[in-house]
Amino acid sequence: MTSCLLLLCALGLAVAVPVPRALNRATWPDRTPVLGLWVWQCLVATALLSCVTVLVLGTAAIFRTVRDHLFGSAPPGVVAAYQPTSAPAWATALVLLTAAGAAWTVAVLAGQVRAVRRARAAARVRLRERAPELPAGLPAGRGPLLVLEEEHPDAWWMPGDPSRLVVTTGALRRLTDRQLDAVLAHERGHAGARHDWLLHLSAALAAGFPKVPLFTHFCEQTHRLVELAADDTAARQCGRVTTALALIELNQHRGIRSRASSRRLLDDRVNRLLTPPPTLEPRQRTRIAAAAALAPLLPLLITFAPGIDALD
């Protein structure tokens, strides 16, 4: 039991601190943003599973009732392999710490879900005020596309039921047909990959654990990589130059009012579209994706390894 707890703690710390810092410095995720998002999600899953398995094993070592439920039907050899009654003195503090972290994580995620629902409801109210229902006798608008009267060019996807793709008249006037297609393809790329929930998850974890490098870098990189992935979707359908010009047209009016980080990301996106970096080879992508998919299995392997070895 002690060795399992130590290995799980070591794995959790490695995934929470040095690994995300190294990945945050890497440049290959910009070349394949979808794969980069996959790796970040697998790292987060590994960290959370490490905490859950520590909590389960530690609780079983401390509380007899939990231990009886967990090992009650196990063969004597398996029980002896775990030695659940010989928990170290620091196991109680570890269990209390992980339990508090788990409870805080649930609270943060639940709060994020409530906040998202309130924000979406408020956004729909504002949208109805700006685009009221047509008078009786006139045909109601159908489909996901909604045009708003607005001087500045803009377009965004509003998730929900039903979801809407909102475009301003300023965008219709300023963009060419091809550029407008690129903007719509970009927003549909966000919607098809459900980037909204990924952004909410990363923001909730970063807000709940602001000192944990894994969650802060996960939030930063998610905001960056989802835009690059949607840019790639638009570029495949409408061309890289067209997509880059559409981005420039949509953001020209923001100027100095936008944040420095937003301007920097926009510059990176335009440069990436105009001078695309070389993509990873299929063999490299396969290796990275497979390694990332196996990472969340490590906590489970550490947890079940003594029992499997005892059965052998």
Side-chain angles (χ1 to χ4, degrees), residues 173-190:
R173 285 191 294 265
R174 178 168 294 187
L175 300 177
T176 66
D177 291 344
R178 193 66 175 166
Q179 291 171 355
L180 182 61
D181 289 340
V183 171
L184 299 182
H186 176 98
E187 298 302 330
R188 290 192 183 103
H190 283 314

Side-chain angles (χ1 to χ4, degrees), residues 59-121:
T59 305
I62 296 172
F63 299 102
R64 181 181 180 86
T65 304
V66 178
R67 184 164 62 247
D68 291 342
H69 280 86
L70 195 61
F71 294 99
S73 59
V78 173
V79 178
Y82 283 98
Q83 297 179 342
T85 57
S86 60
W90 45 264
T92 302
L94 181 63
V95 168
L96 291 176
L97 181 63
T98 53
W104 180 243
T105 301
V106 173
V108 165
L109 294 178
Q112 182 71 12
V113 170
R114 290 193 297 269
V116 168
R117 289 177 176 173
R118 288 196 299 267
R120 288 183 179 178

